[in-house]
Amino acid sequence: ELVGSLYGVDELAVELLKDRVFYQTSNGGVTFSGGEPLWQSGFVSRVARRLKEENIHTALDTAGDVTWCRFEEVLDDMDLVLYDIKAADPELHHQLTGRENDLILANARLLAERGIPMHIRLVMVPGLNDTPEELKARMKIVRDLGNTVKQVDILPYHRFGEGKYARLGLAYPLAGMEEYPDERVSDFEQFVASYGIPVKIGG
């Protein structure tokens, strides 16, 4: 089963530009996602530069857990950054991800200082990072980033990853976890909207 292909900068730019009409009619563009695209920051910057030369909107989807120099490689060629904040509490973040969140939050502040437009993405997982206190703490982070935050995307837990784990022969760590009912997702949406920031479910 084909799950990926190798491309050089020129090859990928040509492939992406085939959808130029779609980008124009949908008011969309190209999002560099992953994995973590900033682990290939040099490659991403060169492809994005080619797209910007053709007036294609570009976005970076990142967890932010990289050194700032990787951001600096790509920011001149990005119109928007989609930025994950998985948990505000440092201990909880380490417990859930195995990583500290100090660098992630520092990079978010640097992006705000640079005036980079951002959509902050709040990953919500039942019973793990969805207490009222934790959501309030994450929204305080969002508010402190100022008007560079154009939108908050709420990303409720879903089971789409189960099949990937199965194909890799790995045990799914959240087996048996139920997705949120619509009412709970609506509660999250209303809470975020109360801060006066546009909010979207998914993204």
Side-chain angles (χ1 to χ4, degrees):
E1 180 182 356
L2 180 66
V3 294
S5 301
L6 292 175
Y7 286 90
V9 171
D10 292 338
E11 294 172 294
L12 184 55
V14 168
E15 190 68 24
L16 293 171
L17 288 169
K18 290 178 182 177
D19 287 329
R20 181 198 302 270
V21 173
F22 173 74
Y23 307 144
Q24 293 171 341
T25 56
S26 68
N27 198 30
V30 172
T31 298
F32 295 87
S33 187
E36 176 52 69
L38 288 177
W39 284 117
Q40 301 182 65
S41 53
F43 179 79
V44 168
S45 69
R46 291 193 294 274
V47 176
R49 192 168 304 124
R50 290 286 303 276
L51 297 175
K52 293 308 297 174
E53 290 170 355
E54 301 291 335
N55 297 313
I56 304 299
H57 185 280
T58 55
L60 173 73
D61 181 0
T62 178
D65 193 15
V66 298
T67 55
W68 179 249
C69 64
R70 292 187 178 273
F71 277 99
E72 289 186 314
E73 278 195 273
V74 306
L75 288 181
D76 286 345
D77 300 300
M78 292 295 164
D79 297 302
L80 176 69
V81 174
L82 312 178
Y83 204 89
D84 292 355
I85 298 181
K86 297 181 174 69
D89 180 80
E91 292 184 10
L92 177 62
H93 191 280
H94 189 271
Q95 175 187 336
L96 295 178
T97 69
R99 302 286 295 177
E100 308 295 335
N101 67 351
D102 51 350
L103 178 61
I104 294 167
L105 298 180
N107 283 336
R109 290 190 290 269
L110 287 171
L111 288 170
E113 289 171 10
R114 284 273 298 266
I116 306 298
M118 287 186 280
H119 288 187
I120 299 297
R121 295 154 65 82
L122 303 182
V123 179
M124 307 299 295
V125 185
L128 296 183
N129 67 345
D130 60 350
T131 64
E133 295 76 18
E134 172 59 30
L135 186 53
K136 286 179 184 176
R138 280 195 272 174
M139 286 307 299
K140 181 181 185 306
I141 293 168
V142 172
R143 187 174 55 194
D144 289 347
L145 292 174
N147 60 11
T148 58
V149 178
K150 306 304 180 184
Q151 179 173 296
V152 171
D153 297 332
I154 297 174
L155 307 183
Y157 166 77
H158 57 67
R159 297 200 191 99
F160 298 164
E162 286 189 31
K164 296 178 182 178
Y165 273 79
R167 289 196 297 274
L168 292 169
L170 300 173
Y172 186 63
L174 300 179
M177 179 171 287
E178 295 293 328
E179 296 181 0
Y180 287 110
D182 291 343
E183 300 78 26
R184 188 75 190 282
V185 174
S186 179
D187 288 343
F188 294 146
E189 182 179 17
Q190 291 177 35
F191 179 78
V192 172
S194 73
Y195 283 76
I197 299 172
V199 57
K200 179 181 177 183
I201 304 302

